[in-house]
Amino acid sequence: MLSYDEYKAMIENKLVSFIPEVHPYAATLRESMAYSLEVGGKRLRPVLLLACCDYAGGSIEEALPYACALEFIHTYSLIHDDLPAMDNDDLRRGHPTNHKVYGEGMAILAGDGLLNTACEIMSAQLQSYFSDHDKLVAHAKAGYDIIRSAGVNGMIGGQCADVENETKEATKELVDYIEANKTGALIAAPVLAGLHIAGADDETISHFEEYARKLGQAFQVSDDILDVEGDEALIGKRIGKDLEAGKCNYAYVLGLDEAKEMLHSLTEGAKAAVRMCGEDTEFFTQLADRLEIRKA
Ligand code: GRG
């Protein structure tokens, strides 16, 4: 297996090349899509996809389009989340948000363009496997994992509950729903998609599913903790927004100490789940440890 930074470099080398050429009248749209893709980010989701595919013996080259499509979807969600009608943020990934640079109308279109392009990238891949039934099935599953996780029973559903969150009673049940869907779904999807592309067996998939579910939840708990006590300069966006907006998150419903305990127990649970696949899983256990202590 490669290192996190090696997978990340592979993604960053290809990412923008997946934006289609456009008519000169649509040049600003293309530029605004590229702007948000290129301003940085950890690339956690696509790295997970490549690493899972690689771990299960699949081809990184075949997995790359799905990894990039997923980063397109994640980036669209950040652009739309930053809009005045949602979180109204001026800064993302340490740079002005898309609508601050290109205006609200163009930012909405950039998000739409990224989501649609992600679907185009994945359907184009399917066309390459029409004559290979097993690969066609594996790739269709991977595309479905990704697009379903971003949908109304995944990220968009979670975002819906989050938008209404300020007006609802703060309960752990509500936070569990929001965070499992708004954030967790898009972290679990690459794990499944990478394993499906590699044709992994059911037992491996089930241990990794448990790993991904716990890792996704841990990621969100750490995001909630960072929103209270993180460093804005390192995170690259304004902190304290949830509390200011009256939104409940884990740090709010549980308190910081209990949220930290939850983060630790989820991290240990994720590591235990993936270790069920064997001792060659350090990439994934180290990633869980790294996310537990992340500052950005
Ligand atoms: C607009 C449909 C729609 C959904 C938005 C992404 C999202 C859903 C909301 C963002 C709000 C937020 C801060 C959620 C916490 C988890 C999260 C998605 C953090 C950002 O992801 P990172 O830390 O970002 O992986 P980078 O910049 O590293 O890619």
PDB file of all heavy atoms in Angstrom, residues 3 38 44 52 59 65 89 106-107 117 129 191 206 218 225 233 238 240 249 270-271 275 286 291 294:
ATOM      1  N   SER A   3       1.407   5.588   0.834  1.00  0.00           N
ATOM      2  CA  SER A   3       1.124   6.453   1.985  1.00  0.00           C
ATOM      3  C   SER A   3      -0.075   7.357   1.654  1.00  0.00           C
ATOM      4  O   SER A   3      -0.445   7.509   0.484  1.00  0.00           O
ATOM      5  CB  SER A   3       2.340   7.323   2.290  1.00  0.00           C
ATOM      6  OG  SER A   3       2.491   8.267   1.248  1.00  0.00           O
ATOM      7  N   GLU A  38      -9.442  23.331  -6.392  1.00  0.00           N
ATOM      8  CA  GLU A  38      -7.983  23.504  -6.282  1.00  0.00           C
ATOM      9  C   GLU A  38      -7.525  24.188  -5.011  1.00  0.00           C
ATOM     10  O   GLU A  38      -6.330  24.182  -4.727  1.00  0.00           O
ATOM     11  CB  GLU A  38      -7.464  24.300  -7.494  1.00  0.00           C
ATOM     12  CG  GLU A  38      -7.355  23.430  -8.727  1.00  0.00           C
ATOM     13  CD  GLU A  38      -6.762  24.152  -9.916  1.00  0.00           C
ATOM     14  OE1 GLU A  38      -7.232  25.274 -10.205  1.00  0.00           O
ATOM     15  OE2 GLU A  38      -5.842  23.605 -10.541  1.00  0.00           O
ATOM     16  N   LEU A  44      -9.734  13.461   2.147  1.00  0.00           N
ATOM     17  CA  LEU A  44      -9.931  12.237   2.941  1.00  0.00           C
ATOM     18  C   LEU A  44     -10.774  11.189   2.221  1.00  0.00           C
ATOM     19  O   LEU A  44     -10.436   9.998   2.191  1.00  0.00           O
ATOM     20  CB  LEU A  44     -10.601  12.613   4.281  1.00  0.00           C
ATOM     21  CG  LEU A  44     -11.100  11.449   5.124  1.00  0.00           C
ATOM     22  CD1 LEU A  44      -9.931  10.585   5.591  1.00  0.00           C
ATOM     23  CD2 LEU A  44     -11.883  11.964   6.341  1.00  0.00           C
ATOM     24  N   CYS A  52      -8.793   1.714  -0.029  1.00  0.00           N
ATOM     25  CA  CYS A  52      -9.606   0.493   0.138  1.00  0.00           C
ATOM     26  C   CYS A  52      -9.499  -0.387  -1.098  1.00  0.00           C
ATOM     27  O   CYS A  52      -9.396  -1.617  -1.000  1.00  0.00           O
ATOM     28  CB  CYS A  52     -11.064   0.852   0.412  1.00  0.00           C
ATOM     29  SG  CYS A  52     -11.281   1.466   2.079  1.00  0.00           S
ATOM     30  N   SER A  59      -7.459  -2.208  -8.919  1.00  0.00           N
ATOM     31  CA  SER A  59      -6.614  -1.307  -9.699  1.00  0.00           C
ATOM     32  C   SER A  59      -6.877   0.152  -9.313  1.00  0.00           C
ATOM     33  O   SER A  59      -8.016   0.632  -9.384  1.00  0.00           O
ATOM     34  CB  SER A  59      -6.911  -1.519 -11.187  1.00  0.00           C
ATOM     35  OG  SER A  59      -6.765  -0.327 -11.905  1.00  0.00           O
ATOM     36  N   PRO A  65     -11.230   7.579 -11.214  1.00  0.00           N
ATOM     37  CA  PRO A  65     -12.376   8.406 -11.621  1.00  0.00           C
ATOM     38  C   PRO A  65     -13.445   8.494 -10.524  1.00  0.00           C
ATOM     39  O   PRO A  65     -14.040   9.557 -10.319  1.00  0.00           O
ATOM     40  CB  PRO A  65     -12.930   7.679 -12.856  1.00  0.00           C
ATOM     41  CG  PRO A  65     -11.781   6.885 -13.374  1.00  0.00           C
ATOM     42  CD  PRO A  65     -10.977   6.499 -12.179  1.00  0.00           C
ATOM     43  N   ASP A  89     -20.773  31.408   5.067  1.00  0.00           N
ATOM     44  CA  ASP A  89     -19.353  31.500   5.442  1.00  0.00           C
ATOM     45  C   ASP A  89     -18.548  32.266   4.400  1.00  0.00           C
ATOM     46  O   ASP A  89     -18.806  32.165   3.203  1.00  0.00           O
ATOM     47  CB  ASP A  89     -18.760  30.086   5.576  1.00  0.00           C
ATOM     48  CG  ASP A  89     -18.900  29.556   6.984  1.00  0.00           C
ATOM     49  OD1 ASP A  89     -18.447  30.255   7.909  1.00  0.00           O
ATOM     50  OD2 ASP A  89     -19.469  28.470   7.156  1.00  0.00           O
ATOM     51  N   MET A 106     -23.313  32.189  -9.503  1.00  0.00           N
ATOM     52  CA  MET A 106     -22.275  31.332 -10.099  1.00  0.00           C
ATOM     53  C   MET A 106     -21.880  30.211  -9.122  1.00  0.00           C
ATOM     54  O   MET A 106     -21.594  29.085  -9.550  1.00  0.00           O
ATOM     55  CB  MET A 106     -21.048  32.188 -10.462  1.00  0.00           C
ATOM     56  CG  MET A 106     -20.085  31.518 -11.406  1.00  0.00           C
ATOM     57  SD  MET A 106     -20.856  30.969 -12.963  1.00  0.00           S
ATOM     58  CE  MET A 106     -21.228  32.536 -13.741  1.00  0.00           C
ATOM     59  N   ALA A 107     -21.901  30.511  -7.811  1.00  0.00           N
ATOM     60  CA  ALA A 107     -21.542  29.467  -6.825  1.00  0.00           C
ATOM     61  C   ALA A 107     -22.590  28.344  -6.837  1.00  0.00           C
ATOM     62  O   ALA A 107     -22.242  27.161  -6.735  1.00  0.00           O
ATOM     63  CB  ALA A 107     -21.429  30.078  -5.429  1.00  0.00           C
ATOM     64  N   THR A 117     -21.192  16.724 -13.050  1.00  0.00           N
ATOM     65  CA  THR A 117     -19.975  16.164 -13.647  1.00  0.00           C
ATOM     66  C   THR A 117     -19.580  14.859 -12.950  1.00  0.00           C
ATOM     67  O   THR A 117     -19.113  13.915 -13.594  1.00  0.00           O
ATOM     68  CB  THR A 117     -18.811  17.179 -13.594  1.00  0.00           C
ATOM     69  OG1 THR A 117     -19.237  18.390 -14.222  1.00  0.00           O
ATOM     70  CG2 THR A 117     -17.577  16.659 -14.316  1.00  0.00           C
ATOM     71  N   TYR A 129     -16.987  -0.751 -19.540  1.00  0.00           N
ATOM     72  CA  TYR A 129     -17.010  -2.157 -19.098  1.00  0.00           C
ATOM     73  C   TYR A 129     -18.207  -2.946 -19.629  1.00  0.00           C
ATOM     74  O   TYR A 129     -18.524  -4.001 -19.098  1.00  0.00           O
ATOM     75  CB  TYR A 129     -16.958  -2.214 -17.563  1.00  0.00           C
ATOM     76  CG  TYR A 129     -15.668  -1.625 -17.038  1.00  0.00           C
ATOM     77  CD1 TYR A 129     -15.645  -0.408 -16.387  1.00  0.00           C
ATOM     78  CD2 TYR A 129     -14.451  -2.282 -17.252  1.00  0.00           C
ATOM     79  CE1 TYR A 129     -14.454   0.150 -15.946  1.00  0.00           C
ATOM     80  CE2 TYR A 129     -13.254  -1.731 -16.818  1.00  0.00           C
ATOM     81  CZ  TYR A 129     -13.265  -0.522 -16.166  1.00  0.00           C
ATOM     82  OH  TYR A 129     -12.089   0.027 -15.731  1.00  0.00           O
ATOM     83  N   VAL A 191     -15.332   3.806   1.146  1.00  0.00           N
ATOM     84  CA  VAL A 191     -14.831   2.521   1.635  1.00  0.00           C
ATOM     85  C   VAL A 191     -15.525   1.399   0.860  1.00  0.00           C
ATOM     86  O   VAL A 191     -14.883   0.511   0.296  1.00  0.00           O
ATOM     87  CB  VAL A 191     -15.086   2.414   3.165  1.00  0.00           C
ATOM     88  CG1 VAL A 191     -14.814   1.021   3.664  1.00  0.00           C
ATOM     89  CG2 VAL A 191     -14.224   3.440   3.902  1.00  0.00           C
ATOM     90  N   SER A 206     -17.922  -6.397   5.223  1.00  0.00           N
ATOM     91  CA  SER A 206     -18.678  -6.152   6.452  1.00  0.00           C
ATOM     92  C   SER A 206     -17.783  -5.574   7.568  1.00  0.00           C
ATOM     93  O   SER A 206     -18.194  -4.669   8.285  1.00  0.00           O
ATOM     94  CB  SER A 206     -19.444  -7.415   6.840  1.00  0.00           C
ATOM     95  OG  SER A 206     -18.986  -7.947   8.020  1.00  0.00           O
ATOM     96  N   ALA A 218     -16.725   9.356  14.175  1.00  0.00           N
ATOM     97  CA  ALA A 218     -15.595   9.964  14.894  1.00  0.00           C
ATOM     98  C   ALA A 218     -15.187  11.269  14.214  1.00  0.00           C
ATOM     99  O   ALA A 218     -14.907  12.278  14.871  1.00  0.00           O
ATOM    100  CB  ALA A 218     -14.417   8.992  14.926  1.00  0.00           C
ATOM    101  N   ILE A 225     -15.932  19.114  18.064  1.00  0.00           N
ATOM    102  CA  ILE A 225     -14.991  19.556  19.105  1.00  0.00           C
ATOM    103  C   ILE A 225     -14.150  20.716  18.556  1.00  0.00           C
ATOM    104  O   ILE A 225     -13.964  21.738  19.214  1.00  0.00           O
ATOM    105  CB  ILE A 225     -14.097  18.379  19.575  1.00  0.00           C
ATOM    106  CG1 ILE A 225     -14.969  17.316  20.265  1.00  0.00           C
ATOM    107  CG2 ILE A 225     -12.979  18.862  20.496  1.00  0.00           C
ATOM    108  CD1 ILE A 225     -14.268  15.995  20.549  1.00  0.00           C
ATOM    109  N   ALA A 233      -7.047  29.511  12.168  1.00  0.00           N
ATOM    110  CA  ALA A 233      -5.995  29.612  11.146  1.00  0.00           C
ATOM    111  C   ALA A 233      -5.673  28.235  10.575  1.00  0.00           C
ATOM    112  O   ALA A 233      -5.429  28.086   9.379  1.00  0.00           O
ATOM    113  CB  ALA A 233      -4.748  30.244  11.742  1.00  0.00           C
ATOM    114  N   ARG A 238     -14.278  29.838   9.845  1.00  0.00           N
ATOM    115  CA  ARG A 238     -14.639  30.421  11.136  1.00  0.00           C
ATOM    116  C   ARG A 238     -15.179  29.335  12.063  1.00  0.00           C
ATOM    117  O   ARG A 238     -15.923  28.454  11.618  1.00  0.00           O
ATOM    118  CB  ARG A 238     -15.713  31.498  10.916  1.00  0.00           C
ATOM    119  CG  ARG A 238     -15.855  32.459  12.071  1.00  0.00           C
ATOM    120  CD  ARG A 238     -16.310  33.812  11.558  1.00  0.00           C
ATOM    121  NE  ARG A 238     -17.708  33.810  11.172  1.00  0.00           N
ATOM    122  CZ  ARG A 238     -18.716  33.903  12.040  1.00  0.00           C
ATOM    123  NH1 ARG A 238     -18.488  33.985  13.327  1.00  0.00           N
ATOM    124  NH2 ARG A 238     -19.960  33.930  11.624  1.00  0.00           N
ATOM    125  N   GLY A 240     -17.014  28.149  15.985  1.00  0.00           N
ATOM    126  CA  GLY A 240     -18.036  28.617  16.923  1.00  0.00           C
ATOM    127  C   GLY A 240     -19.374  28.869  16.268  1.00  0.00           C
ATOM    128  O   GLY A 240     -20.301  29.397  16.885  1.00  0.00           O
ATOM    129  N   ASN A 249     -24.966  20.046  18.368  1.00  0.00           N
ATOM    130  CA  ASN A 249     -24.032  19.046  17.824  1.00  0.00           C
ATOM    131  C   ASN A 249     -23.536  18.236  19.024  1.00  0.00           C
ATOM    132  O   ASN A 249     -23.993  18.441  20.142  1.00  0.00           O
ATOM    133  CB  ASN A 249     -22.919  19.705  17.006  1.00  0.00           C
ATOM    134  CG  ASN A 249     -22.002  20.566  17.838  1.00  0.00           C
ATOM    135  OD1 ASN A 249     -21.812  20.337  19.028  1.00  0.00           O
ATOM    136  ND2 ASN A 249     -21.414  21.571  17.211  1.00  0.00           N
ATOM    137  N   ALA A 270     -13.399   1.638  15.585  1.00  0.00           N
ATOM    138  CA  ALA A 270     -13.098   1.578  14.145  1.00  0.00           C
ATOM    139  C   ALA A 270     -11.853   0.715  13.931  1.00  0.00           C
ATOM    140  O   ALA A 270     -11.816  -0.152  13.037  1.00  0.00           O
ATOM    141  CB  ALA A 270     -12.880   2.991  13.589  1.00  0.00           C
ATOM    142  N   LYS A 271     -10.829   0.929  14.763  1.00  0.00           N
ATOM    143  CA  LYS A 271      -9.581   0.163  14.612  1.00  0.00           C
ATOM    144  C   LYS A 271      -9.819  -1.324  14.859  1.00  0.00           C
ATOM    145  O   LYS A 271      -9.325  -2.185  14.126  1.00  0.00           O
ATOM    146  CB  LYS A 271      -8.519   0.708  15.582  1.00  0.00           C
ATOM    147  CG  LYS A 271      -7.940   2.036  15.112  1.00  0.00           C
ATOM    148  CD  LYS A 271      -7.337   2.883  16.209  1.00  0.00           C
ATOM    149  CE  LYS A 271      -6.248   2.225  17.000  1.00  0.00           C
ATOM    150  NZ  LYS A 271      -5.761   3.102  18.095  1.00  0.00           N
ATOM    151  N   ARG A 275      -9.225  -4.339  12.152  1.00  0.00           N
ATOM    152  CA  ARG A 275      -8.213  -5.353  12.514  1.00  0.00           C
ATOM    153  C   ARG A 275      -8.761  -6.770  12.359  1.00  0.00           C
ATOM    154  O   ARG A 275      -8.001  -7.724  12.272  1.00  0.00           O
ATOM    155  CB  ARG A 275      -7.735  -5.148  13.952  1.00  0.00           C
ATOM    156  CG  ARG A 275      -6.655  -4.093  14.043  1.00  0.00           C
ATOM    157  CD  ARG A 275      -5.842  -4.256  15.338  1.00  0.00           C
ATOM    158  NE  ARG A 275      -5.017  -3.089  15.551  1.00  0.00           N
ATOM    159  CZ  ARG A 275      -5.264  -2.138  16.441  1.00  0.00           C
ATOM    160  NH1 ARG A 275      -6.304  -2.221  17.242  1.00  0.00           N
ATOM    161  NH2 ARG A 275      -4.462  -1.104  16.548  1.00  0.00           N
ATOM    162  N   GLN A 286      -3.902   3.610  11.475  1.00  0.00           N
ATOM    163  CA  GLN A 286      -3.151   4.873  11.653  1.00  0.00           C
ATOM    164  C   GLN A 286      -3.993   6.071  11.236  1.00  0.00           C
ATOM    165  O   GLN A 286      -3.938   7.135  11.835  1.00  0.00           O
ATOM    166  CB  GLN A 286      -1.863   4.835  10.828  1.00  0.00           C
ATOM    167  CG  GLN A 286      -0.777   4.032  11.505  1.00  0.00           C
ATOM    168  CD  GLN A 286       0.429   3.776  10.604  1.00  0.00           C
ATOM    169  OE1 GLN A 286       0.561   4.371   9.536  1.00  0.00           O
ATOM    170  NE2 GLN A 286       1.285   2.874  11.027  1.00  0.00           N
ATOM    171  N   LEU A 291      -6.927  10.965  12.627  1.00  0.00           N
ATOM    172  CA  LEU A 291      -8.142  11.789  12.617  1.00  0.00           C
ATOM    173  C   LEU A 291      -8.577  12.157  14.035  1.00  0.00           C
ATOM    174  O   LEU A 291      -9.141  13.218  14.264  1.00  0.00           O
ATOM    175  CB  LEU A 291      -9.281  11.070  11.878  1.00  0.00           C
ATOM    176  CG  LEU A 291      -9.096  10.930  10.358  1.00  0.00           C
ATOM    177  CD1 LEU A 291     -10.282  10.202   9.735  1.00  0.00           C
ATOM    178  CD2 LEU A 291      -8.914  12.290   9.670  1.00  0.00           C
ATOM    179  N   ARG A 294      -6.609  15.225  14.969  1.00  0.00           N
ATOM    180  CA  ARG A 294      -6.447  16.236  13.919  1.00  0.00           C
ATOM    181  C   ARG A 294      -6.756  17.640  14.445  1.00  0.00           C
ATOM    182  O   ARG A 294      -7.570  17.815  15.357  1.00  0.00           O
ATOM    183  CB  ARG A 294      -7.338  15.908  12.711  1.00  0.00           C
ATOM    184  CG  ARG A 294      -8.803  16.214  12.889  1.00  0.00           C
ATOM    185  CD  ARG A 294      -9.640  15.588  11.801  1.00  0.00           C
ATOM    186  NE  ARG A 294     -11.061  15.734  12.051  1.00  0.00           N
ATOM    187  CZ  ARG A 294     -11.838  16.607  11.450  1.00  0.00           C
ATOM    188  NH1 ARG A 294     -11.356  17.435  10.559  1.00  0.00           N
ATOM    189  NH2 ARG A 294     -13.122  16.685  11.724  1.00  0.00           N
TER     190      ARG A 294
END
